[in-house]
Amino acid sequence: MLLGGRGMVLPIIGQRSGHYADHQRLTGFTEELAKIYPDIKTLPSACCFLDSALAERLVLREMERNPLLNGVYISTVGRTGVYRALKRLGVAGKVHVVVHDLTQDNLDMIKDGVVDFAIGQDVKTQGTLPLHLLYQYLTKHQTPERRIYTTNIDIKFRYNTNDDAGNYLY
């Protein structure tokens, strides 16, 4: 959508194996992108090992190799490195960025015009519901009502991150 259906996107993940969420996020992103926007080329994913300095170097290197790069999708920690690289190159706002997690730094990067969208996945429910269900099972022998629970997905961008007083919603 941000790229008008054309372009080149660099996906950055945290680690190659052992992190299920990274794998799911990347798979969902690349599959949907290929299905809906076949004219957008997804570059091979880069791995930043949860290191923002490495994420910065990855973006700087990829921009040097592919000056037509116009999108970065980062599913992990390291987002501030992407931010620094795009600011340093003077392409902030021209290269579109999608990140995960509604953290203060992500909301600040949206405000600064470097990040376009932050995807939040209801971390409070994700963190507390499994513990609650496990507690109920262990102490009261109550099995969960269902096998799969879904959580809300919130997408924040420049125009829905503040309340009327200018305060961040998260």
Coordinates of all heavy atoms in Angstrom, one line a residue, residues 24-99:
Q24 N 6.9 -16.5 12.2 CA 5.5 -16.3 11.8 C 5.3 -14.9 11.2 O 4.6 -14.8 10.2 CB 4.6 -16.5 13.0 CG 4.3 -17.9 13.4 CD 3.2 -17.9 14.5 OE1 3.3 -17.2 15.5 NE2 2.2 -18.7 14.2
R25 N 5.9 -13.9 11.8 CA 5.8 -12.6 11.3 C 6.3 -12.5 9.9 O 5.6 -11.9 9.0 CB 6.5 -11.6 12.2 CG 5.8 -11.4 13.5 CD 6.7 -10.5 14.4 NE 6.0 -10.2 15.7 CZ 6.5 -9.5 16.6 NH1 7.7 -9.0 16.5 NH2 5.8 -9.2 17.7
L26 N 7.5 -13.0 9.7 CA 8.1 -12.9 8.3 C 7.3 -13.7 7.3 O 7.1 -13.2 6.2 CB 9.6 -13.4 8.4 CG 10.3 -13.4 7.0 CD1 10.4 -12.0 6.5 CD2 11.7 -14.1 7.2
T27 N 6.9 -14.9 7.7 CA 6.1 -15.7 6.7 C 4.8 -15.0 6.4 O 4.5 -14.9 5.2 CB 5.8 -17.1 7.3 OG1 7.1 -17.7 7.6 CG2 5.0 -18.0 6.4
G28 N 4.1 -14.5 7.4 CA 2.9 -13.8 7.1 C 3.1 -12.6 6.2 O 2.3 -12.4 5.2
F29 N 4.1 -11.8 6.5 CA 4.4 -10.6 5.7 C 4.7 -11.0 4.3 O 4.1 -10.4 3.3 CB 5.6 -9.9 6.4 CG 6.0 -8.7 5.6 CD1 5.3 -7.5 5.6 CD2 7.1 -8.7 4.8 CE1 5.7 -6.4 4.9 CE2 7.5 -7.6 4.0 CZ 6.8 -6.5 4.1
T30 N 5.6 -11.9 4.1 CA 6.1 -12.2 2.7 C 5.0 -12.9 1.9 O 4.8 -12.6 0.7 CB 7.3 -13.1 2.7 OG1 7.1 -14.2 3.4 CG2 8.5 -12.3 3.2
E31 N 4.2 -13.8 2.5 CA 3.1 -14.4 1.8 C 2.0 -13.4 1.4 O 1.5 -13.5 0.2 CB 2.5 -15.5 2.6 CG 3.4 -16.8 2.7 CD 2.8 -17.9 3.6 OE1 1.7 -17.7 4.2 OE2 3.5 -18.9 3.7
E32 N 1.6 -12.6 2.3 CA 0.6 -11.6 1.9 C 1.1 -10.6 0.9 O 0.4 -10.2 0.0 CB 0.1 -10.8 3.2 CG -0.8 -11.6 4.1 CD -2.1 -12.0 3.4 OE1 -2.8 -11.1 2.8 OE2 -2.4 -13.2 3.3
L33 N 2.3 -10.1 1.0 CA 2.9 -9.2 0.1 C 2.9 -9.8 -1.3 O 2.5 -9.2 -2.3 CB 4.3 -8.8 0.5 CG 4.9 -7.6 -0.1 CD1 4.1 -6.3 0.2 CD2 6.3 -7.4 0.3
A34 N 3.4 -11.1 -1.4 CA 3.4 -11.7 -2.7 C 2.0 -11.9 -3.3 O 1.9 -11.8 -4.6 CB 4.1 -13.1 -2.6
K35 N 1.1 -12.2 -2.5 CA -0.3 -12.5 -3.0 C -1.0 -11.2 -3.4 O -1.6 -11.1 -4.5 CB -1.1 -13.1 -1.9 CG -2.5 -13.5 -2.2 CD -3.3 -14.3 -1.2 CE -2.9 -14.1 0.2 NZ -3.7 -14.7 1.2
I36 N -0.8 -10.1 -2.7 CA -1.6 -8.9 -2.9 C -0.8 -7.9 -3.9 O -1.4 -7.2 -4.7 CB -1.9 -8.2 -1.6 CG1 -2.8 -9.1 -0.8 CG2 -2.6 -6.8 -1.9 CD1 -3.1 -8.6 0.6
Y37 N 0.5 -7.9 -3.7 CA 1.4 -7.0 -4.5 C 2.5 -7.7 -5.2 O 3.7 -7.6 -4.8 CB 2.0 -5.9 -3.6 CG 0.9 -5.0 -2.9 CD1 0.6 -5.2 -1.6 CD2 0.2 -4.1 -3.6 CE1 -0.3 -4.4 -0.9 CE2 -0.8 -3.3 -3.0 CZ -1.1 -3.5 -1.7 OH -2.0 -2.7 -1.1
P38 N 2.2 -8.4 -6.2 CA 3.2 -9.3 -6.9 C 4.4 -8.5 -7.5 O 5.4 -9.0 -7.8 CB 2.5 -10.1 -8.0 CG 1.2 -9.2 -8.2 CD 0.9 -8.5 -6.9
D39 N 4.2 -7.2 -7.7 CA 5.3 -6.3 -8.3 C 6.2 -5.8 -7.3 O 7.1 -5.0 -7.6 CB 4.7 -5.2 -9.2 CG 3.9 -5.7 -10.4 OD1 4.3 -6.8 -10.9 OD2 3.0 -5.1 -10.9
I40 N 6.0 -6.1 -6.0 CA 7.0 -5.7 -5.0 C 8.0 -6.9 -4.8 O 7.5 -8.0 -4.5 CB 6.3 -5.3 -3.7 CG1 5.5 -4.1 -3.9 CG2 7.3 -5.1 -2.6 CD1 4.7 -3.6 -2.7
K41 N 9.2 -6.6 -4.9 CA 10.3 -7.6 -4.7 C 10.7 -7.6 -3.3 O 11.0 -6.6 -2.7 CB 11.5 -7.3 -5.6 CG 12.6 -8.3 -5.4 CD 13.8 -8.0 -6.2 CE 14.8 -9.1 -6.0 NZ 16.1 -8.8 -6.6
T42 N 10.6 -8.8 -2.7 CA 11.0 -9.0 -1.3 C 12.5 -9.5 -1.3 O 12.7 -10.6 -1.9 CB 10.1 -9.9 -0.5 OG1 8.8 -9.4 -0.6 CG2 10.6 -10.0 0.9
L43 N 13.4 -8.8 -0.8 CA 14.8 -9.2 -0.8 C 14.9 -10.4 0.2 O 14.1 -10.5 1.1 CB 15.7 -8.1 -0.4 CG 15.7 -6.9 -1.4 CD1 16.5 -5.7 -0.8 CD2 16.3 -7.3 -2.7
P44 N 16.0 -11.1 0.1 CA 16.2 -12.2 1.2 C 16.3 -11.5 2.6 O 16.8 -10.4 2.7 CB 17.6 -12.8 0.8 CG 17.7 -12.5 -0.7 CD 17.0 -11.2 -0.9
S45 N 15.7 -12.1 3.6 CA 15.7 -11.5 4.9 C 17.1 -11.4 5.5 O 17.9 -12.3 5.3 CB 14.8 -12.3 5.8 OG 15.3 -13.6 6.0
A46 N 17.3 -10.3 6.1 CA 18.6 -10.1 6.8 C 18.3 -10.3 8.3 O 17.2 -10.2 8.8 CB 19.0 -8.6 6.6
C47 N 19.3 -10.7 9.0 CA 19.2 -11.1 10.4 C 20.1 -10.1 11.3 O 21.3 -10.0 11.0 CB 19.7 -12.5 10.6 SG 19.4 -13.1 12.3
C48 N 19.5 -9.4 12.2 CA 20.2 -8.5 13.0 C 20.6 -9.0 14.4 O 21.2 -8.3 15.2 CB 19.4 -7.1 13.1 SG 18.0 -7.2 14.2
F49 N 20.2 -10.2 14.7 CA 20.5 -10.8 16.0 C 20.2 -9.9 17.2 O 20.9 -9.8 18.2 CB 21.9 -11.3 16.1 CG 22.3 -12.3 15.0 CD1 22.9 -11.9 13.8 CD2 21.9 -13.6 15.2 CE1 23.2 -12.8 12.8 CE2 22.2 -14.5 14.2 CZ 22.8 -14.1 13.0
L50 N 19.0 -9.2 17.1 CA 18.5 -8.3 18.1 C 19.5 -7.1 18.5 O 19.5 -6.6 19.6 CB 18.2 -9.1 19.4 CG 17.4 -10.3 19.2 CD1 17.2 -11.1 20.6 CD2 16.0 -10.0 18.6
D51 N 20.3 -6.7 17.5 CA 21.3 -5.7 17.7 C 21.0 -4.5 16.8 O 21.0 -4.6 15.5 CB 22.7 -6.3 17.3 CG 23.8 -5.4 17.4 OD1 23.6 -4.2 17.6 OD2 25.0 -5.9 17.4
S52 N 20.7 -3.4 17.3 CA 20.3 -2.2 16.5 C 21.4 -1.7 15.7 O 21.2 -1.2 14.6 CB 19.7 -1.1 17.4 OG 20.6 -0.6 18.3
A53 N 22.7 -1.8 16.2 CA 23.8 -1.3 15.4 C 24.0 -2.2 14.2 O 24.3 -1.7 13.1 CB 25.1 -1.4 16.3
L54 N 23.8 -3.5 14.3 CA 23.8 -4.4 13.2 C 22.7 -4.1 12.2 O 22.9 -4.0 11.0 CB 23.8 -5.8 13.6 CG 23.9 -6.9 12.5 CD1 25.0 -6.7 11.5 CD2 23.9 -8.3 13.0
A55 N 21.5 -3.8 12.7 CA 20.4 -3.5 11.8 C 20.7 -2.2 11.0 O 20.4 -2.1 9.9 CB 19.1 -3.3 12.7
E56 N 21.3 -1.3 11.7 CA 21.7 0.0 11.0 C 22.7 -0.3 9.9 O 22.5 0.1 8.7 CB 22.4 0.9 12.0 CG 22.8 2.2 11.4 CD 23.4 3.2 12.4 OE1 23.5 2.8 13.6 OE2 23.7 4.3 12.1
R57 N 23.7 -1.1 10.1 CA 24.7 -1.5 9.1 C 24.0 -2.3 8.0 O 24.4 -2.1 6.8 CB 25.8 -2.3 9.7 CG 26.7 -1.5 10.6 CD 28.0 -2.2 11.0 NE 27.8 -3.5 11.6 CZ 27.6 -3.8 12.9 NH1 27.6 -2.8 13.7 NH2 27.5 -5.0 13.3
L58 N 23.1 -3.1 8.3 CA 22.4 -3.9 7.2 C 21.6 -3.0 6.3 O 21.7 -3.1 5.1 CB 21.4 -4.9 7.9 CG 22.0 -6.1 8.6 CD1 20.9 -6.8 9.4 CD2 22.7 -7.0 7.6
V59 N 20.9 -2.0 6.8 CA 20.2 -1.0 6.0 C 21.2 -0.2 5.2 O 20.9 0.0 4.0 CB 19.2 -0.2 6.8 CG1 18.6 1.0 6.0 CG2 18.1 -1.0 7.5
L60 N 22.2 0.3 5.8 CA 23.2 1.1 5.1 C 23.8 0.3 3.9 O 23.9 0.8 2.8 CB 24.3 1.6 6.0 CG 23.9 2.6 7.1 CD1 25.0 2.8 8.1 CD2 23.5 3.9 6.4
R61 N 24.1 -0.9 4.2 CA 24.7 -1.8 3.1 C 23.7 -2.1 2.0 O 24.0 -2.0 0.8 CB 25.2 -3.1 3.7 CG 25.9 -4.0 2.7 CD 26.2 -5.4 3.2 NE 25.0 -6.1 3.4 CZ 24.8 -7.1 4.2 NH1 25.8 -7.5 5.0 NH2 23.7 -7.7 4.3
E62 N 22.5 -2.4 2.4 CA 21.5 -2.7 1.4 C 21.1 -1.4 0.5 O 20.9 -1.5 -0.7 CB 20.2 -3.3 2.0 CG 19.3 -4.0 1.1 CD 20.1 -5.2 0.4 OE1 20.7 -6.0 1.1 OE2 20.0 -5.2 -0.9
M63 N 21.1 -0.3 1.1 CA 20.8 1.0 0.4 C 21.9 1.3 -0.6 O 21.7 1.8 -1.7 CB 20.6 2.1 1.3 CG 19.3 2.1 2.1 SD 17.8 2.3 1.1 CE 18.0 3.9 0.3
E64 N 23.2 0.9 -0.2 CA 24.3 1.1 -1.1 C 24.2 0.1 -2.3 O 24.4 0.5 -3.5 CB 25.6 0.8 -0.4 CG 26.8 1.2 -1.2 CD 28.1 1.0 -0.4 OE1 28.2 1.7 0.6 OE2 29.0 0.2 -0.9
R65 N 23.8 -1.1 -2.1 CA 23.6 -2.1 -3.1 C 22.4 -1.9 -4.0 O 22.4 -2.1 -5.2 CB 23.4 -3.5 -2.5 CG 24.6 -4.2 -1.9 CD 24.2 -5.6 -1.5 NE 25.2 -6.2 -0.7 CZ 25.0 -7.3 0.0 NH1 23.9 -7.8 0.1 NH2 26.0 -7.8 0.7
N66 N 21.3 -1.5 -3.3 CA 20.0 -1.3 -4.0 C 19.5 0.1 -3.7 O 18.6 0.3 -2.9 CB 19.0 -2.3 -3.5 CG 19.4 -3.7 -3.9 OD1 19.6 -4.0 -5.1 ND2 19.5 -4.6 -3.0
P67 N 19.9 1.1 -4.5 CA 19.4 2.5 -4.2 C 17.9 2.6 -4.4 O 17.3 3.6 -4.0 CB 20.2 3.3 -5.2 CG 21.1 2.4 -6.0 CD 20.9 1.0 -5.5
L68 N 17.3 1.6 -5.1 CA 15.8 1.7 -5.3 C 15.1 1.0 -4.2 O 13.8 1.0 -4.2 CB 15.5 0.9 -6.6 CG 16.1 1.6 -7.9 CD1 15.7 0.7 -9.1 CD2 15.7 3.0 -8.0
L69 N 15.7 0.6 -3.1 CA 15.1 0.0 -2.0 C 14.1 1.1 -1.4 O 14.5 2.2 -1.2 CB 16.1 -0.3 -0.9 CG 15.5 -0.9 0.4 CD1 15.0 -2.3 0.2 CD2 16.6 -0.9 1.5
N70 N 12.9 0.8 -1.3 CA 11.9 1.8 -0.8 C 11.1 1.3 0.4 O 10.1 1.9 0.7 CB 11.1 2.3 -1.9 CG 10.3 1.3 -2.7 OD1 10.5 0.1 -2.5 ND2 9.4 1.7 -3.5
G71 N 11.5 0.1 1.0 CA 10.7 -0.4 2.1 C 11.6 -1.3 3.0 O 12.4 -2.0 2.5
V72 N 11.3 -1.1 4.3 CA 12.0 -2.0 5.3 C 10.9 -2.5 6.2 O 10.0 -1.8 6.7 CB 13.0 -1.3 6.1 CG1 13.6 -2.1 7.2 CG2 14.1 -0.7 5.2
Y73 N 10.9 -3.8 6.4 CA 10.0 -4.5 7.4 C 10.9 -5.1 8.4 O 11.7 -5.9 8.1 CB 9.2 -5.5 6.7 CG 8.4 -6.4 7.6 CD1 7.3 -6.0 8.3 CD2 8.9 -7.7 7.8 CE1 6.6 -6.8 9.1 CE2 8.2 -8.6 8.7 CZ 7.1 -8.1 9.4 OH 6.4 -8.9 10.2
I74 N 10.7 -4.7 9.7 CA 11.5 -5.2 10.7 C 10.6 -5.8 11.8 O 9.8 -5.1 12.4 CB 12.6 -4.2 11.3 CG1 13.4 -4.8 12.4 CG2 11.9 -2.9 11.7 CD1 14.7 -4.2 12.7
S75 N 10.8 -7.1 12.0 CA 9.9 -7.8 12.9 C 10.4 -7.9 14.3 O 9.8 -8.7 15.1 CB 9.6 -9.2 12.3 OG 10.8 -10.0 12.4
T76 N 11.5 -7.3 14.7 CA 12.2 -7.5 15.9 C 12.8 -6.3 16.5 O 12.7 -5.2 16.0 CB 13.3 -8.6 15.6 OG1 13.9 -9.0 16.9 CG2 14.3 -8.1 14.7
V77 N 13.6 -6.5 17.6 CA 14.4 -5.4 18.2 C 15.4 -5.0 17.1 O 15.8 -5.8 16.3 CB 15.1 -6.0 19.4 CG1 16.0 -4.9 20.0 CG2 14.0 -6.4 20.5
G78 N 15.8 -3.8 17.2 CA 16.8 -3.3 16.2 C 16.2 -2.2 15.4 O 16.9 -1.6 14.5
R79 N 15.0 -1.8 15.7 CA 14.3 -0.8 14.9 C 15.0 0.5 15.0 O 15.0 1.3 14.0 CB 12.9 -0.7 15.4 CG 12.1 -2.0 15.4 CD 10.8 -1.9 16.1 NE 11.0 -1.8 17.6 CZ 10.8 -2.8 18.4 NH1 10.4 -4.0 18.0 NH2 11.0 -2.7 19.7
T80 N 15.6 0.9 16.1 CA 16.3 2.2 16.2 C 17.5 2.2 15.3 O 17.8 3.3 14.8 CB 16.7 2.5 17.6 OG1 17.5 1.4 18.1 CG2 15.5 2.7 18.5
G81 N 18.1 1.1 15.0 CA 19.2 1.1 14.0 C 18.7 1.4 12.6 O 19.3 2.1 11.8
V82 N 17.5 0.9 12.2 CA 16.9 1.2 10.9 C 16.6 2.7 10.9 O 16.9 3.4 9.9 CB 15.6 0.4 10.7 CG1 14.9 0.8 9.5 CG2 15.9 -1.1 10.7
Y83 N 16.1 3.2 12.0 CA 15.8 4.7 12.1 C 17.1 5.5 11.8 O 17.1 6.4 11.0 CB 15.2 4.9 13.5 CG 15.0 6.3 13.9 CD1 13.8 7.0 13.6 CD2 16.0 7.0 14.6 CE1 13.6 8.3 13.9 CE2 15.8 8.4 15.0 CZ 14.6 9.0 14.6 OH 14.4 10.3 15.0
R84 N 18.1 5.1 12.5 CA 19.4 5.9 12.4 C 19.9 5.9 11.0 O 20.4 6.9 10.4 CB 20.4 5.4 13.4 CG 20.2 5.7 14.8 CD 21.4 5.4 15.7 NE 21.8 4.0 15.6 CZ 21.4 3.0 16.4 NH1 20.5 3.2 17.3 NH2 21.9 1.8 16.2
A85 N 19.9 4.7 10.4 CA 20.4 4.5 9.0 C 19.6 5.4 8.0 O 20.2 6.1 7.2 CB 20.3 3.1 8.6
L86 N 18.3 5.4 8.1 CA 17.5 6.2 7.2 C 17.7 7.7 7.4 O 17.7 8.4 6.4 CB 16.0 5.8 7.3 CG 15.7 4.3 6.9 CD1 14.3 4.0 7.1 CD2 16.2 4.0 5.5
K87 N 17.8 8.1 8.7 CA 18.1 9.5 8.9 C 19.4 9.9 8.4 O 19.6 11.0 7.8 CB 18.0 9.7 10.5 CG 16.6 9.6 11.1 CD 15.7 10.8 10.7 CE 15.8 11.8 11.8 NZ 14.8 12.9 11.5
R88 N 20.4 9.0 8.6 CA 21.8 9.3 8.2 C 21.9 9.5 6.7 O 22.6 10.4 6.2 CB 22.7 8.2 8.7 CG 24.1 8.4 8.3 CD 24.9 7.3 9.0 NE 26.2 7.0 8.4 CZ 27.0 6.0 8.7 NH1 26.6 5.2 9.6 NH2 28.1 5.9 8.1
L89 N 21.1 8.6 6.0 CA 21.1 8.7 4.5 C 20.2 9.8 3.9 O 20.2 10.0 2.7 CB 20.7 7.3 3.9 CG 21.7 6.2 4.2 CD1 21.0 4.9 3.8 CD2 23.0 6.4 3.4
G90 N 19.4 10.4 4.8 CA 18.5 11.4 4.3 C 17.3 10.9 3.5 O 16.7 11.6 2.7
V91 N 16.9 9.6 3.8 CA 15.8 9.0 3.1 C 14.6 8.7 4.0 O 13.7 8.0 3.6 CB 16.2 7.8 2.3 CG1 17.2 8.2 1.1 CG2 16.9 6.7 3.2
A92 N 14.7 9.2 5.2 CA 13.6 9.0 6.2 C 12.3 9.6 5.6 O 12.3 10.7 5.1 CB 13.9 9.7 7.5
G93 N 11.3 8.8 5.6 CA 10.0 9.2 5.0 C 9.9 8.8 3.5 O 8.8 8.8 3.0
K94 N 11.0 8.6 2.9 CA 11.0 8.2 1.5 C 11.1 6.6 1.4 O 10.5 6.0 0.5 CB 12.2 8.8 0.7 CG 12.1 10.3 0.6 CD 13.3 10.9 0.0 CE 13.2 12.4 0.0 NZ 14.5 13.0 -0.1
V95 N 11.8 6.1 2.3 CA 11.9 4.6 2.5 C 10.9 4.3 3.6 O 11.0 4.8 4.7 CB 13.3 4.1 2.8 CG1 13.3 2.6 3.2 CG2 14.3 4.4 1.7
H96 N 9.9 3.5 3.2 CA 8.8 3.2 4.2 C 9.2 2.1 5.1 O 9.8 1.1 4.7 CB 7.5 2.9 3.4 CG 7.1 4.1 2.6 ND1 6.5 5.2 3.1 CD2 7.2 4.4 1.3 CE1 6.2 6.1 2.2 NE2 6.7 5.6 1.1
V97 N 8.7 2.2 6.4 CA 9.1 1.3 7.4 C 7.9 0.8 8.2 O 7.0 1.6 8.6 CB 10.1 1.9 8.4 CG1 10.5 0.9 9.5 CG2 11.3 2.5 7.7
V98 N 7.8 -0.5 8.3 CA 6.8 -1.1 9.2 C 7.5 -1.9 10.3 O 8.5 -2.6 10.0 CB 5.9 -2.1 8.3 CG1 4.9 -2.8 9.2 CG2 5.2 -1.3 7.3
V99 N 7.1 -1.7 11.5 CA 7.7 -2.4 12.7 C 6.6 -3.1 13.5 O 5.4 -2.9 13.3 CB 8.4 -1.4 13.6 CG1 9.5 -0.7 12.8 CG2 7.5 -0.4 14.2

